[in-house]
Amino acid sequence: MKGQSISVFILSLLLPWSSVFSQFPGDGTRANGSKPTLDGFAEVSWEASYAQVRDKFLSLAANPQSDEKIEVVHEDKEKSLLVRRNGIMYLYRFYSTPKLVLDSRPKDKQARPERPAANPDEDEHIEPGKLFSVGVSFRYLPGKDVQNKLENKYGKPKKETLDDKKIGGAVIWELTDEREAPPKGGFVVQWKEAYKKQPFTRRVDYFSSKVKAQIEKEYKEFFSAEEIKTLRDLIP
């Protein structure tokens, strides 16, 4: 998980605002009385494998009957997939438990996937990547307009943090089922930044709550994994 970050965000697009909003996640209104959750992004569920998501978009891109314009722009196997869909950029991010963390765990308590032998320096991970986040990038749009679209879909945000000038910051929606541990669902972060001295948005991120909790736990494991593994090897 060295250097792995969920803050890799791409490009802004030169599209008319009406075109952007027609594709922007959050269009539509919630069913009355319903409490929204976030079990994935659009038609892709959280924890879908890298291969599943990649194959889906390659299939859509090659479908002559589809009226969508879809292109897989960049691939980082088992880690990220950048897709241009109808002029908007979507960065699908994937997570797998670092090999060092798996190696530090007791042998009888971990289910290790069967994978072909590979160069140990080639990759720090041995498990297939699973979807934990999607970042959406587009041209600058008024922050309030984007927030209204998201509120139509998800209701009022849980938190809004702004800088001293009340322009830049983040708006956060938590869309989870707290009856499960870790909670099922996810959360949405709308980023606001100063543009022409007004709050504008060009990026919105969606995250899985369950995988986020797993990453936080394994992040702590990672920094003690080398010592734990060494001690276990010294004292079988």
Side-chain angles (χ1 to χ4, degrees):
M1 199 162 56
K2 288 178 187 174
Q4 186 169 11
S5 171
I6 56 176
S7 57
V8 183
F9 301 107
I10 317 295
L11 302 175
S12 50
L13 306 179
L14 300 175
L15 295 176
W17 289 6
S18 60
S19 176
V20 172
F21 274 140
S22 70
Q23 300 296 332
F24 187 76
D27 271 355
T29 305
R30 294 175 299 145
N32 290 334
S34 64
K35 180 181 179 181
T37 59
L38 190 68
D39 299 322
F41 180 82
E43 69 274 25
V44 182
S45 300
W46 295 134
E47 300 187 72
S49 71
Y50 174 88
Q52 288 173 330
V53 178
R54 180 180 183 274
D55 289 348
K56 178 182 183 63
F57 284 113
L58 289 177
S59 177
L60 287 171
N63 183 358
Q65 298 180 339
S66 174
D67 58 358
E68 290 193 273
K69 294 181 179 180
I70 297 175
E71 177 189 3
V72 176
V73 178
H74 184 264
E75 305 175 43
D76 189 354
K77 189 175 181 181
E78 307 297 351
K79 296 178 182 177
S80 66
L81 195 68
L82 181 62
V83 176
R84 182 186 287 112
R85 187 171 189 173
N86 300 323
I88 296 179
M89 304 298 277
Y90 299 87
L91 181 60
Y92 290 78
R93 308 181 186 100
F94 301 83
Y95 176 77
S96 56
T97 302
K99 181 178 182 298
L100 182 60
V101 171
L102 289 174
D103 288 344
S104 72
R105 293 173 177 171
K107 299 296 184 184
D108 58 344
K109 291 186 179 180
Q110 60 179 334
R112 294 287 294 274
E114 294 294 329
R115 296 285 296 274
N119 183 344
D121 297 328
E122 183 179 326
D123 202 336
E124 297 175 346
H125 302 74
I126 62 174
E127 292 184 319
K130 57 186 179 183
L131 182 67
F132 81 93
S133 174
V134 180
V136 185
S137 298
F138 40 91
R139 64 159 295 169
Y140 274 118
L141 294 174
K144 189 59 179 177
D145 290 351
V146 174
Q147 185 170 339
N148 287 341
K149 288 286 182 180
L150 291 168
E151 288 185 3
N152 285 340
K153 181 72 174 180
Y154 300 121
K156 293 294 182 181
K158 180 175 182 179
K159 183 187 300 184
E160 182 169 0
T161 59
L162 297 175
D163 60 20
D164 294 339
K165 295 181 179 179
K166 305 298 182 183
I167 295 178
V171 186
I172 301 170
W173 287 260
E174 286 197 13
L175 309 165
T176 60
D177 184 347
E178 300 292 345
R179 294 172 296 180
E180 299 189 23
K184 181 181 178 182
F187 59 99
V188 181
V189 182
Q190 174 196 351
W191 301 96
K192 292 183 179 181
E193 56 186 278
Y195 178 65
K196 296 183 178 179
K197 298 182 180 181
Q198 295 295 322
F200 274 68
T201 292
R202 61 176 173 176
R203 193 177 82 226
V204 176
D205 291 292
Y206 299 74
F207 298 92
S208 161
S209 293
K210 180 180 178 182
V211 185
K212 171 181 173 288
Q214 178 186 346
I215 292 172
E216 289 174 345
K217 176 179 178 294
E218 292 179 354
Y219 181 83
K220 295 176 182 177
E221 284 188 74
F222 182 83
F223 286 100
S224 59
E226 195 70 64
E227 291 80 2
I228 292 171
K229 182 177 180 297
T230 300
L231 286 171
R232 193 191 67 233
D233 292 343
L234 284 172
I235 311 171

